[in-house]
Amino acid sequence: VVILGRKISSTFLHGLEDQLGNDIFITYDNQIICTDDIKNNLINNFQLFKNNENNSIYELGDSKLIGNYPLVDISENTIGYINIIESRDMYLSTRKLLEQNILIVATIFGISLFGLGFKLKGIIVNPIKKLEYEIKSMERENLLIHTTINGPNEIMSLAKSFNHMVDSIYEHKKENSALKASSNLDSLTSAYTHKYYFESLNKKIAEGHKQISVLFCDIDKFKLTNDTYGHGTGDLILIEIAKIIKNETKDDGMVFRYGGEEFVIILWD
C-alpha cells in the first residue's frame, strides 16, 4: 500500500523520475504537479487527462502512452491520480515480452512494485506515522516536546515547522503564566489579591485537604499612623508586615491582602 500526501513538490517527483526512468506527474482538483521539463506539454493536454481519468492507459499523441492510477485516502475516496508517461514503442515491446514471458515478467513486476512501495513507505509513510505518534504522545501526556524524524526534505521541513510551533506555544504559555501570576499579586505588598483569595480557597477545598485554616488579621491603629506620618510611611508598614507573614508561612500557606490593612492567610495540611 502506497500512501502519498496531497502536497508533493516537483523536486520530489524529479527524484522519482531519476530512480524510475519515466516522466511522472500527479493531477488533482484541476491542478497538475510535475517537473519543469514536461510542464508546458502537460498543461496543453490537461483536458485529455481529465477525459481519461477512468482509463488506466491512453494515448498522448502518436508516440506516447500514459498509464494512470487513482490515489485514494483512508476512506477509499479518490483524491487524485498518479500518471506515468511511457513511449509507445517501449510499451509495445513490453507487451510482446509479457506475452512471451508472462510469468517471469509478472514476477519481476511484482517484486519491483513491492520494492517501490516499500521504499516509498520508508521515505514518506514511516516518518509521518512517527510524527503522528509523537503528537498523540504529547496530547496524552500534556507535554510540549520537539519531534525528531528523518525523511525527505518535505518531511524534514514539516518537522521543523512543527518544532517552531511547539516553541511558539511554549513561549505563549510562559507569557500567559507570568501574566496570570502578575495579575494575582498585589502591586504594593506582593501578597496575593483579594480576588485570588476566593479562587485559591475553592481550589484547596477541591484538592481534598483534611485540614484547611483561614486566618484574618489587620494592623491596629493603621489609620492613625497614616494620618500622623503620611501614607508613604503607611505603605512601608504594609510591605514589611506582608514580608513578615510570608516569611512565617513559607511554603505551608498563602498570604493575601484582603483590603487596606487587612490580610488573610490560608494554611493546609
Side-chain angles (χ1 to χ4, degrees):
V1 178
V2 180
I3 304 176
L4 298 176
R6 289 180 64 84
K7 291 187 178 296
I8 301 178
S9 68
S10 59
T11 303
F12 176 75
L13 290 179
H14 197 280
L16 286 180
E17 291 177 357
D18 289 342
Q19 295 179 46
L20 301 177
N22 296 91
D23 290 329
I24 299 174
F25 66 96
I26 290 178
T27 56
Y28 76 98
D29 293 341
N30 293 322
Q31 299 186 53
I32 297 178
I33 303 176
C34 61
T35 60
D36 293 337
D37 299 341
I38 61 174
K39 184 175 183 179
N40 292 333
N41 188 32
L42 294 182
I43 292 175
N44 294 334
N45 290 280
F46 184 77
Q47 192 58 45
L48 175 67
F49 308 145
K50 294 292 292 183
N51 295 338
N52 287 277
E53 285 182 346
N54 296 325
N55 298 323
S56 59
I57 299 176
Y58 56 94
E59 296 181 355
L60 176 63
D62 297 329
S63 60
K64 299 289 184 181
L65 291 175
I66 293 180
N68 79 342
Y69 192 83
L71 299 174
V72 297
D73 58 19
I74 58 175
S75 301
E76 300 297 327
N77 296 318
T78 300
I79 58 175
Y81 295 86
I82 184 168
N83 304 268
I84 301 177
I85 302 176
E86 182 62 88
S87 71
R88 187 179 181 87
D89 291 341
M90 182 172 293
Y91 170 75
L92 294 175
S93 299
T94 302
R95 188 173 68 177
K96 185 176 180 180
L97 178 63
L98 284 171
E99 292 171 351
Q100 295 174 347
N101 305 281
I102 184 65
L103 181 61
I104 296 175
V105 174
T107 303
I108 294 174
F109 178 76
I111 294 174
S112 300
L113 187 62
F114 177 80
L116 175 61
F118 185 79
K119 189 167 185 177
L120 286 176
K121 179 181 178 182
I123 294 174
I124 299 175
V125 179
N126 289 345
I128 292 178
K129 282 188 174 181
K130 183 178 180 183
L131 178 60
E132 179 187 19
Y133 173 78
E134 293 187 0
I135 291 174
K136 287 183 178 179
S137 297
M138 290 170 56
E139 180 182 8
R140 183 172 57 253
E141 300 174 13
N142 195 26
L143 295 175
L144 289 174
I145 56 175
H146 280 188
T147 182
T148 53
I149 58 176
N150 295 316
N153 292 336
E154 291 80 2
I155 302 296
M156 295 294 289
S157 179
L158 176 63
K160 185 177 180 181
S161 298
F162 177 80
N163 289 337
H164 282 318
M165 182 183 68
V166 168
D167 291 338
S168 179
I169 294 174
Y170 179 72
E171 290 300 321
H172 283 304
K173 287 187 68 174
K174 283 205 312 183
E175 291 173 2
N176 290 339
S177 298
L179 182 61
K180 183 177 180 181
S182 175
S183 67
N184 291 332
L185 292 178
D186 177 60
S187 59
L188 177 64
T189 63
S190 294
Y192 291 113
T193 61
H194 179 127
K195 178 182 177 182
Y196 192 54
Y197 158 71
F198 294 99
E199 180 181 335
S200 300
L201 181 59
N202 289 329
K203 183 178 179 181
K204 292 303 174 186
I205 294 173
E207 289 175 354
H209 293 282
K210 294 182 180 179
Q211 296 181 351
I212 299 176
S213 301
V214 180
L215 285 68
F216 284 81
C217 59
D218 64 1
I219 304 173
D220 292 340
K221 301 180 181 180
F222 184 71
K223 185 177 184 305
L224 179 60
T225 300
N226 269 340
D227 293 342
T228 304
Y229 300 102
H231 289 280
T233 300
D235 288 347
L236 292 176
I237 292 174
L238 288 172
I239 294 170
E240 191 62 29
I241 291 294
K243 186 185 298 182
I244 291 171
I245 298 175
K246 286 191 290 184
N247 286 339
E248 289 298 322
T249 57
K250 296 185 175 13
D251 296 329
D252 299 323
M254 301 175 70
V255 181
F256 305 82
R257 186 182 178 191
Y258 198 72
E261 75 278 15
E262 297 174 326
F263 292 89
V264 180
I265 303 100
I266 298 178
L267 301 172
W268 58 88
D269 59 349

